[in-house]
Every structure is written in C-alpha cells, then in structure tokens.
C-alpha cells in the first residue's frame, strides 16, 4: 500500500501579541500565575487590522507551495477547516484559491474545494478527507492542500478571553510524504454536547468548566476505540503525543487522564499504585463530573511519580512550546502541537525515524479522534524549514488599549476603524471586500 500523509507544512501566526502576564493580568486585576502557571499560557496571537482567516490561510499556503515548487495544477483539492467563517455559502477555500491565483500563472479550476466544520477537530477531519481522497485513487496524481485557520476570539471578560489566539496551518497531503505517514486506523469518541457553541453568533457561548470534562470524556472514548482497532496501546510506545491544545493546562489534565486510562489493569498501574497507595476507582459513575472528581486525587499523585514526569517531559511537554506563546488556534491547535513536538525533537537530536506519534484531536460539540502517524526518514529537513520562532519573536506587542481596539476591529458586530500596527511585506492583505486578498 502506497504511503499517504503529510508531505510538508507551514504555519502563519497572527502578527500581534498580547502578553498575558505583563499586559492582560494587571488590566484584569488577576495574578499572572493564573495564566502562566494555571493555564500554562504566556501570550496570545491576534491578527493585525489587515489580517483575517483568509489572508493567514493564503499566506501559509503560498509559502507551502513556493517552498515545495508547486503550481496550481499540482493541487487537486483545497480544504479549509475553520470555525471563524464569515460566509455561510462560499467556502473559505474559494477565497484562498482566489488569493493564490493572483500570484501564479495557472489556476485551481479543476481542484475540488470545500470547507469543513466541527469545531477544532475539523482540521484533522480535513486531513482525513484528503487522505481518503488519495487512498480512493481519485486524485489523478495530484496533492491536496489542507488549511486550518481561525481567529479564536471570546467576548470581553468571558473566562475564555485569556485563551484567545489566531493563526493558520497549511499542510500538503500527498503520496510518499516527506514528513508523516497517516495510519488507516482511527478511534473516535463522539456525543451531542452543548458546552461550547456559536449558533449564529460571533463569540462562543461556553460552559468552560464542563467543556474541560467533556474533552476528557470524549478523549477516553477515542483512546479505547483506537485500541480496539490498532491493538493494545501503551503511552510509552510513542515518542510524542500531540493533543488538541486550547491551553497547555488542558493538555496537562488530558495527558494524566489518558496515561491513567491506558495503563489501567497493567503492570505499570500495579507498580505505580504501590508507590502512591492507589485504590482503583470504578469506571461507572452517573456523570463525567463525578468520575473526574473521584479520579482527581489519583491522577494528581500519578503526576508526581518519577516515571510519569519523565514520560510527560519527553512526550507531552515539547508539544506545548508553540501554543504557550500563541494561545488557542482552534482547528490549527493540534497541528501546531505536532509541529512543536517535532521541532523540539529535531533541535535536541532525537532520532524519530520510523517511530509513531499518537495524535489526539478534539472539537467541542463534541468529538475526539485518535490516530497514529509514522515519522518518515528525512523528517528533520522538512521541520527545519519552519520559521515560526522568528514569526513569534517579531510580532508587534500591544498595550492593553491597543488590544481593546483590535478586539473591536475583529468583532463583526462593532464598527471599528484602526491603523495597522505592522507593515505587510510580500503578503496577502485584507483591505476591504472589493480588494480582498491583494498581495503587497
Ligand atoms: P477560569 O475560571 O478562568 O480559570 O477558567 P480557573 O479559575 O479554573 O483557573 C484555571 C487554573 O489555573 C486552575 O487550575 C487554577 O487552580 C489555576 P486547575 O484546577 O484547572 O488545575 N490557577 C492558578 N495557578 C497558579 N497561580 C495562580 C492561579 N490562579 C488560578 N495564581 C477555563 C478556565 C478553562 C474554564 C476558561 O479558560 C475557559 O472557559 N476557556 C474556554 C473553554 C476551553 O478552552 N475549554 C477547554 C476544553 S474544550 C476545547 O478544548 C474545545 C475548544 O478549543 C473549542 C473547539 O473545539 O472549537 C475550546
């Protein structure tokens, strides 16, 4: 079977930065530790005045095509995953293709374009769609561009406000990929939930505390479902486990719960139980909330063991390195977690050739998906091309007043006029509907 997977990727962060400890916390009257330690976030990315989900997506896709030497006729499919769409009819991928056609001689007239929606998990679903399209041999030798792009804004003073972020991830999905080969096995945990939704409104209605437990419940189901098709899984078999990362503190909980869930009824559980004096907790409870309450003491002690900490430090913590500085990118979030993990591995000389990552995606509403991705020999060369560190470093840092202004600019319900803070150079810019996606 020919390998199919991610051949290359590019990341584009919104060009503005809000420092949570220095700027946001004092304005809110909060202890900075709530953000930096509790949520694990230091800063958020925001789009400048001339940026939106289309320009960020087009800028990421253009870099990807340029770097891989691709022309429009090499692409048979453009899928955009987003939960920040502004158009209920025309998919964002058509706007992105329109931008790209301004800079290439060819066009995307024979490419299939679409838009995927299922909260944050739709980035991974689009990846799955592209994989299935190639596997079904309907691609005529062409590759797919999958883009996850979002401006994750919350209403001012909503508890989610500290977790905001904005950026795009463009991935090239192709046969014989240079980076990662996707596994045919997938595990799902899916249920109709109403803890996070945006019915005809720009900002989400969120029951934040419950959303955390819904994430954990669906993830446990997806892990079980994945194990039922792939055979027993063991957390220590995977060098990196990128999770959907709304904020690193969420992944701290998901990793501990996931670890405990996977090791239950194994020798490791017995060994650790002896060390921390653990009495197994039954799985059956009336609600997820009750279950997590019952299990919390155990997972808290579990995270203090040397074995767990070594595993977490190597397998999970590196995947959070980008997220800490950019916030939640919704659909792009698990994809920057994967990129962060691989970047860290390359910088630290880890040999990942032929190993498998366990990728744990999640979207409110709610669904989790777990699948494996095999690291392809030569992956380091692809990862070395990412310039996300430089992008993060060179963002314009906003004062709190500037942040308030930018929040209004990107709020569809507010008339706001503002000058851009950064100078667009060789990038697609949003300059009003008539001049959308012009390239400077
Ligand atoms: P909150 O009320 O701002 O925060 O809401 P908190 O009071 O619960 O504090 C957060 C943590 O910081 C706690 O730790 C505190 O103890 C700690 P925990 O008990 O959780 O381990 N803390 C401190 N630590 C050190 N020093 C201090 C300090 N103060 C407090 N001084 C909440 C947090 C997550 C509810 C909020 O941010 C929120 O509503 N976020 C939006 C929803 C969200 O991100 N949910 C995550 C799961 S759902 C998901 O991932 C899907 C999503 O991406 C959307 C999609 O799929 O489309 C959101």
């Amino acid at each position: 079977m020919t390998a199919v997977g991610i051949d290359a990727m590019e990341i584009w962060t919104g060009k503005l930065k809000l420092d949570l400890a220095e700027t946001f916390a004092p304005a809110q009257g909060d202890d900075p530790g709530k953000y930096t330690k509790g949520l694990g976030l230091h800063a958020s990315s925001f789009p400048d005045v001339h940026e939106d989900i289309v320009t960020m997506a087009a800028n990421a896709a253009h870099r990807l095509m340029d770097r891989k030497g691709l022309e429009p006729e090499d692409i048979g499919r453009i899928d955009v995953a987003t939960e920040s769409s502004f158009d209920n009819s025309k998919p964002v991928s058509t706007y992105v293709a329109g931008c790209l056609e301004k800079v290439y001689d060819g066009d995307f007239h024979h490419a299939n374009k679409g838009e995927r929606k299922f909260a944050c998990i739709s980035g991974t679903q689009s990846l799955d769609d592209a994989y299935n399209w190639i596997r079904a041999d309907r691609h005529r030798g062409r590759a797919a561009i999958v883009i996850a792009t979002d401006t994750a804004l919350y209403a001012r003073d909503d508890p989610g406000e500290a977790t905001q972020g904005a950026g795009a991830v463009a991935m090239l999905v192709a046969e014989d990929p240079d980076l990662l080969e996707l596994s045919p096995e997938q595990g799902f945990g899916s249920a109709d939930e109403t803890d996070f939704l945006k019915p005809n409104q720009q900002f989400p209605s969120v029951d934040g505390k419950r959303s955390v437990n819904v994430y954990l419940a669906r993830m446990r189901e997806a892990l079980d479902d994945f194990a039922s098709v792939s055979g027993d899984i063991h957390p220590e078999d995977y060098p990196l486990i990128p999770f959907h990362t709304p904020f690193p503190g969420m992944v701290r909980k998901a990793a501990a719960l996931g670890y405990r869930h996977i090791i239950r009824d194994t020798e490791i559980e017995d060994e650790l139980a002896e060390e921390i004096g653990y009495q197994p907790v039954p799985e059956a409870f009336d609600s997820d909330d009750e279950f997590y309450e019952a299990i919390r003491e155990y997972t808290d002690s579990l995270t203090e063991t040397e074995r767990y900490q070594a595993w977490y430090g190597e397998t999970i913590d590196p995947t959070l390195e980008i997220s800490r500085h950019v916030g939640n990118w919704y659909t792009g979030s698990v994809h920057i977690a994967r990129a962060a993990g691989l970047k860290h591995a390359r910088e630290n000389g880890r040999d990942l050739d032929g190993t498998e990552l366990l990728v744990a995606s999640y979207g409110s509403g709610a669904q989790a998906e777990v699948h494996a991705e095999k690291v392809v020999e030569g992956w380091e060369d692809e990862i070395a091309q990412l310039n996300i560190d430089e992008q993060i470093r060179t963002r314009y840092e906003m004062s709190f007043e500037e942040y308030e202004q930018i929040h209004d600019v990107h709020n569809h319900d507010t008339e706001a006029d503002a000058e851009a803070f950064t100078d667009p150079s060789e990038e697609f810019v949003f300059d009003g509907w008539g001049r959308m996606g012009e390239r400077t």
Side-chain angles (χ1 to χ4, degrees), residues 31 33-34 37-39 83 119-121 154 158-160 163 195-196 206 208-209 211-212 215 244 246-247 250 252-253 296 328 330 362-364:
D31 176 358
K34 173 173 175 179
K37 298 198 181 86
L39 299 179
E83 51 185 299
C120 304
I121 200 174
Y154 290 79
D158 184 287
T163 70
D195 53 303
F196 179 108
V206 195
K209 303 280 184 218
S211 75
V212 169
Y215 176 128
H244 166 57
F247 52 92
M250 179 70 237
R252 224 163 34 220
K253 292 181 206 287
R296 180 153 184 162
N328 192 355
Y330 286 161
Y362 175 75
S364 286

Side-chain angles (χ1 to χ4, degrees), residues 8 38 112 134 149 169 178 219 228 230 279 292 353 380 421 438:
N112 188 4
I134 296 176
T149 182
V169 179
D178 284 346
M219 198 56 85
S228 77
S230 73
Q279 296 299 319
Y292 292 118
D353 287 1
E380 299 98 325
F421 293 103
E438 289 301 331

